[in-house]
Amino acid sequence: MIKKGGGVSKRIEEFMEKVTAKNPGEPEFHQAVREVAESVMPFIEKNPRYQENKILERMVEPERTIMFRVPWLDDQGEIQINKGYRIEMNSAIGPYKGGIRFHPSVNLSILKFLAFEQVFKNSLTTLPMGGGKGGSDFDPKGKSDNEVMRFCQSFMTELSKHIGANTDVPAGDIGVGGREIGYMFGQYKRLRNEFTGVLTGKGLNWGGSLIRPEATGYGCVYFVQEMLKTRGESLKGKVCAVSGAGNVAQYTVEKLIQLGAKVVTLSDSNGFIYDEAGIDHKELKCVMDLKNVRRGRIKDCAKEFSCKYFDNKKPWDVKCDIAFPSATQNEINESDAKTLLKNGCIAVGEGANMPTTPEGVEVFQKAKILYAPGKASNAGGVATSGLEMSQNSMRLSWSREEVDKKLNEIMVAIHEQCVRYGKENKHVDYVTGANVAGFVKVADAMIDHGLV
Ligand code: NDP
Ligand code: 2IT
């Protein structure tokens, strides 16, 4: 942690007061901005050109916010109306890039926090991508394929006016996977009469990249592997608690099993399963089929492979060496963090975006465990989206091994940047490291571009 003198603390508070007043009722956005401000302000103090150019003040204001109506017809022929959004946060180092989330909790605060995080994350990937995020309060749960298709077509009818392969390239996030990307891509192509890489996470026979589905989970595990190396440790035999059962969780588990770790939990918004012997490849396949095809609840898996199920609970009181929160924001609070520590947890790899509350982060930081913030550890997903964009531009595709190797190299490079900017004595503060490293590249580009 860069030392914060009295002057810096005061400036952080003054800055946050302005951000809060200008963006009322957006607690998640305030939370994400505060975390960055606390890491970056001491660095800005030492490098006054960032202050003179008011870089952080400019970075918290989205370049563009698009909000629109999404009307669609359900299977009963009734009209439904949802809200649609795209936050184009920062394009200093490349086209806006970031996922689309469909979840009933989606609002401006959540999408602005995600878009803000994305700017730093994308900067860390070493690839030329700006930051954005979009979504809707549409809930895909319980909807038929036809309803999801009609919704996606209506959503894209408006969104298509604002995005493009060199402008803004969305991808998946919670509630948006291969099926939704397909429907949105189809509609974009039809409206614009062009076949371009306007979305990533595409199907393999229509412009997608090998390893993109696996990338966030695999990348998170690669990052944790790098952190463990700094303490002469490895993943072999480590007991891991994973939350979520979606895209990120599934491929985190797959890679952990491959590397000899033992994964004992998976969860969804209803509860978690606990398999003391460790989830194996066969059980993981069952989870993938349940979640990606049958679209059922994790509870059903507990029945299928007779392990324990805990209703309405999060997996953080299970004994584990490493935690991989891979579901959603603020899923680990202060008390969860303390429980994890008490049970011997030595590392946390955030697959989700901002899954730990600020109080929880403080617990991990004070204990000096290996704590990776999501913008560093889950950057493999968007990095591989960047590789998908490169392949689309070149109109060719790389092999699985090639993409996986590049992904691994990128995660190692992100780890190096965190060490470079976050090392204090023998300890690495990955929060400071990720925030400062992500900031510098974008800030320098903004200065180069003048007042825009
Ligand atoms: P999915 O929709 O595939 O899976 C989400 C999982 O998290 C589901 O198991 C879901 O349970 C659970 N979940 C969602 N919301 C909540 C909630 N409010 N409380 C409890 N559980 C919840 O999404 P992804 O796996 O793609 O995303 C997971 C996280 O990873 C998100 O934070 C996302 O922003 C982040 N991320 C995703 C990337 C990607 O490439 N997909 C890249 C980087 C980060 P249920 O089915 O019951 O809702
Ligand atoms: O949060 C994220 O980084 C994502 N949802 C992936 C974004 C992307 O453009 O691949």
Side-chain angles (χ1 to χ4, degrees):
M1 221 177 290
I2 299 176
K3 290 271 173 310
K4 288 197 281 283
V8 183
S9 294
K10 191 161 160 257
R11 260 183 295 284
I12 294 169
E13 291 316 316
E14 283 166 0
F15 174 76
M16 283 314 301
E17 259 171 45
K18 283 190 195 146
V19 170
T20 310
K22 273 193 163 193
N23 303 275
E26 298 180 1
E28 292 85 3
F29 180 57
H30 305 160
Q31 182 184 335
V33 171
R34 177 177 278 280
E35 187 213 274
V36 167
E38 286 182 348
S39 318
V40 164
M41 281 283 197
F43 178 78
I44 292 177
E45 289 273 298
K46 293 198 194 114
N47 299 274
R49 69 198 207 104
Y50 298 127
Q51 189 51 55
E52 284 150 21
N53 284 282
K54 296 217 173 156
I55 295 298
L56 198 56
E57 288 82 350
R58 280 152 67 185
M59 283 174 85
V60 296
E61 201 57 59
E63 288 177 13
R64 194 173 295 106
T65 303
I66 301 148
M67 294 173 67
F68 51 96
R69 178 207 292 160
V70 189
W72 56 281
L73 278 180
D74 69 17
D75 285 348
Q76 283 68 48
E78 196 180 319
I79 294 171
Q80 301 288 341
I81 299 107
N82 284 98
K83 286 178 181 291
Y85 307 82
R86 185 75 183 165
I87 316 293
E88 296 185 334
M89 201 75 186
N90 195 302
S91 61
I93 62 167
Y96 308 107
K97 180 84 197 87
I100 290 180
R101 178 177 291 192
F102 291 164
H103 193 271
S105 64
V106 162
N107 58 33
L108 204 51
S109 174
I110 289 188
L111 293 181
K112 279 170 71 179
F113 116 63
L114 288 164
F116 186 71
E117 291 278 292
Q118 199 81 44
V119 173
F120 295 82
K121 185 195 303 192
N122 293 6
S123 167
L124 288 169
T125 63
T126 72
L127 302 175
M129 297 181 290
K133 200 89 188 188
S136 173
D137 59 356
F138 173 74
D139 186 358
K141 271 200 207 93
K143 305 289 190 299
S144 69
D145 282 352
N146 275 331
E147 288 177 322
V148 171
M149 180 177 73
R150 283 195 294 274
F151 173 80
C152 287
Q153 290 178 338
S154 181
F155 183 83
M156 183 51 87
T157 300
E158 179 56 34
L159 188 68
S160 65
K161 299 168 190 163
H162 310 283
I163 62 174
N166 293 309
T167 316
D168 183 352
V169 183
D173 193 79
I174 292 176
V176 177
R179 174 182 63 169
E180 291 74 17
I181 295 290
Y183 294 148
M184 288 193 275
F185 184 80
Q187 182 72 350
Y188 182 89
K189 185 167 67 60
R190 182 184 185 199
L191 290 166
R192 302 285 284 256
N193 193 25
E194 58 181 33
F195 195 113
T196 59
V198 66
L199 295 163
T200 59
K202 299 186 290 297
L204 283 179
N205 49 359
W206 42 278
S209 173
L210 286 160
I211 298 287
R212 176 60 190 91
E214 293 88 339
T216 312
Y218 280 19
C220 188
V221 175
Y222 294 153
F223 192 90
V224 168
Q225 223 177 2
E226 290 306 300
M227 292 203 299
L228 289 171
K229 273 188 206 160
T230 66
R231 299 201 177 165
E233 293 263 11
S234 81
L235 281 163
K236 200 147 185 58
K238 293 285 184 301
V239 176
C240 300
V242 178
S243 68
N247 172 268
V248 178
Q250 289 169 18
Y251 290 102
T252 297
V253 175
E254 184 169 282
K255 186 50 77 178
L256 284 171
I257 301 174
Q258 275 174 26
L259 295 174
K262 183 162 106 173
V263 181
V264 291
T265 66
L266 273 170
S267 72
D268 61 22
S269 52
N270 292 103
F272 79 91
I273 54 166
Y274 178 56
D275 186 344
E276 204 175 349
I279 292 162
D280 61 19
H281 279 298
K282 202 168 134 252
E283 289 166 342
L284 177 61
K285 238 179 121 204
C286 162
V287 172
M288 287 179 169
D289 182 61
L290 178 85
K291 287 293 175 185
N292 310 344
V293 183
R294 290 182 278 151
R295 301 188 190 272
R297 311 309 302 156
I298 197 74
K299 187 183 183 173
D300 306 342
C301 265
K303 280 188 215 128
E304 281 177 48
F305 41 85
S306 61
C307 64
K308 287 187 191 144
Y309 173 73
F310 296 88
D311 202 33
N312 237 327
K313 282 215 151 78
K314 298 182 287 182
W316 312 127
D317 56 3
V318 156
K319 191 169 166 44
C320 67
D321 301 308
I322 310 177
F324 287 90
S326 310
T328 192
Q329 64 275 354
N330 293 328
E331 55 170 311
I332 296 184
N333 61 26
E334 185 178 8
S335 140
D336 298 326
K338 284 182 177 159
T339 308
L340 281 164
L341 281 188
K342 193 172 71 146
N343 285 335
C345 177
I346 58 160
V348 178
E350 294 189 339
N353 285 304
M354 207 169 76
T356 312
T357 64
E359 297 77 19
V361 174
E362 205 181 320
V363 171
F364 293 145
Q365 296 264 79
K366 275 202 177 136
K368 294 200 174 237
I369 64 161
L370 298 167
Y371 166 69
K375 58 170 81 70
S377 50
N378 73 36
V382 73
T384 308
S385 279
L387 301 176
E388 182 171 328
M389 288 166 73
S390 303
Q391 293 168 80
N392 290 164
S393 299
M394 293 190 291
R395 297 194 189 283
L396 50 79
S397 41
W398 296 325
S399 69
R400 202 180 153 83
E401 292 69 31
E402 238 173 319
V403 182
D404 196 25
K405 184 165 171 280
K406 285 186 180 14
L407 167 63
N408 192 291
E409 285 165 1
I410 288 171
M411 298 317 294
V412 170
I414 296 173
H415 185 267
E416 275 166 10
Q417 293 177 72
C418 291
V419 172
R420 178 171 167 207
Y421 287 99
K423 190 156 189 172
E424 39 177 52
N425 305 318
K426 279 195 177 150
H427 178 66
V428 181
D429 176 345
Y430 287 91
V431 176
T432 302
N435 285 333
V436 176
F439 173 81
V440 171
K441 187 173 164 190
V442 178
D444 288 346
M446 287 173 74
I447 293 175
D448 291 345
H449 296 166
L451 190 53
V452 290

